[in-house]
Amino acid sequence: MIDAHTAGRVSGLAAASARDLTARAAAHPDLFPARPFDATLFTAVSLANAFGSPDATVAELRVANRLSLWIFAVDWLIDHRATELAEVDTIVEECLSGVPKSPLTAFLGEIRDEVADTQGLFEAELARMLHAMRREFAWKAAGELPTLEVYLGNAANFGSTFVNVAHWTRNGVAGVADLLPASDEVQKVLRLLNDLATHHRDVSWGDLNALMLGPTPDEVRARVESLVGAARKLIGDGPQAGYLGRQIGYSSGFYGVADYWGSR
């Protein structure tokens, strides 16, 4: 249980962080149209990251918040603005080039500079996420639905491990590479929790969703339970156990009530 003081501090972190995200969106208006990037999205992103790191400062949460928002932008461009695979390839290539050629890559450059990664983990996870997004677009373009196992194997498109890597690197956490297996297992859990909550929206928006691949909602929930068990074994009692465990707990509660996206 969270005491009132901790809940208040988390809310304060989220409020300050949401103002920062609002300012960054205003600085890149072409990247963040008011629909679907409404004020609630900024608040929801900030709350998620504040709850994950309730003892952090606003500055320590800045990269996680800004990168989370950036991922929503690239997801919007790939899933809902691109009409051909060639357009997706251009987005991927520009993001990986490190050269700010567009509002998307300019904002990414701001985040990249603050992370100041010297080990290459940021770039590796960026590439993994973008290629996973491209793979999903290719599945939809070809009208070829993957199996649930293949779909979960592509969960890097969700982006939570990328955010974790950037957050940990920016804040000097040791042994980030060793944390990736546990983070990836949590990422699969979050992917399915999201899908259970957003199936109706995904159908109307033309997104891919685990429930479109054959399993029933109960079967997906059972798979979530199995993945949570596997994730907890990988998390163990390590230094980031609380952080990763809170991601599961927060998302299981949040997705039972709301979604991040605003209306189109």
Side-chain angles (χ1 to χ4, degrees):
M1 296 293 291
I2 301 176
D3 61 38
H5 175 82
T6 301
R9 188 174 194 283
V10 166
S11 298
L13 288 171
S17 297
R19 290 193 179 103
D20 176 68
L21 294 186
T22 301
R24 299 323 304 145
H28 301 283
D30 294 337
L31 191 57
F32 299 105
R35 296 171 64 108
F37 293 94
D38 61 9
T40 300
L41 188 150
F42 304 146
T43 300
V45 166
S46 300
L47 274 169
N49 286 312
F51 188 87
S53 300
D55 296 324
T57 65
V58 173
E60 289 168 341
L61 287 171
R62 185 166 53 232
V63 158
N65 284 318
R66 291 184 178 184
L67 186 56
S68 297
L69 183 62
W70 182 85
I71 290 170
F72 275 99
V74 73
D75 181 68
W76 178 249
L77 290 174
I78 289 177
D79 275 357
H80 305 288
R81 286 289 179 255
T83 58
E84 298 179 356
L85 192 57
E87 295 175 65
V88 178
D89 287 337
T90 297
I91 292 171
V92 172
E93 290 166 7
E94 287 187 358
C95 290
L96 295 180
S97 72
V99 179
K101 297 180 180 180
S102 65
L104 183 69
T105 51
F107 189 24
L108 176 62
E110 296 175 19
I111 299 166
R112 183 185 270 121
D113 288 345
E114 182 164 355
V115 173
D117 176 32
T118 60
Q119 300 181 34
L121 291 174
F122 181 91
E123 299 301 327
E125 286 304 314
L126 170 64
R128 194 162 71 111
M129 185 196 74
L130 289 171
H131 287 306
M133 288 182 169
R134 182 196 184 278
R135 190 173 299 116
E136 181 169 306
F137 186 95
W139 287 335
K140 291 189 295 183
E144 298 176 358
L145 295 181
T147 64
L148 180 61
E149 293 305 315
V150 171
Y151 177 77
L152 284 174
N154 198 52
N157 71 337
F158 190 75
S160 63
T161 288
F162 182 31
V163 172
N164 291 345
V165 164
H167 176 64
W168 288 330
T169 301
R170 185 264 181 231
N171 293 306
V173 171
V176 172
D178 296 333
L179 298 170
L180 295 184
S183 178
D184 281 348
E185 204 69 11
V186 172
Q187 184 167 242
K188 294 176 184 177
V189 173
L190 305 188
R191 172 76 277 170
L192 292 184
L193 289 173
N194 174 278
D195 285 358
L196 285 167
T198 62
H199 179 241
H200 178 74
R201 189 205 70 209
D202 288 341
V203 170
S204 64
W205 285 20
D207 285 345
L208 199 58
N209 184 295
L211 292 173
M212 300 173 186
L213 308 180
T216 66
D218 284 343
E219 288 171 337
V220 172
R221 292 186 190 98
R223 188 58 187 274
V224 168
E225 291 298 320
S226 175
L227 288 168
V228 167
R232 294 203 183 282
K233 288 180 181 178
L234 287 170
I235 293 169
D237 57 358
Q240 294 301 313
Y243 175 85
L244 290 170
R246 282 190 294 273
Q247 286 189 338
I248 296 173
Y250 182 87
S251 291
S252 65
F254 177 86
Y255 283 124
V257 178
D259 183 17
Y260 287 93
W261 286 109
S263 300
R264 292 178 68 172

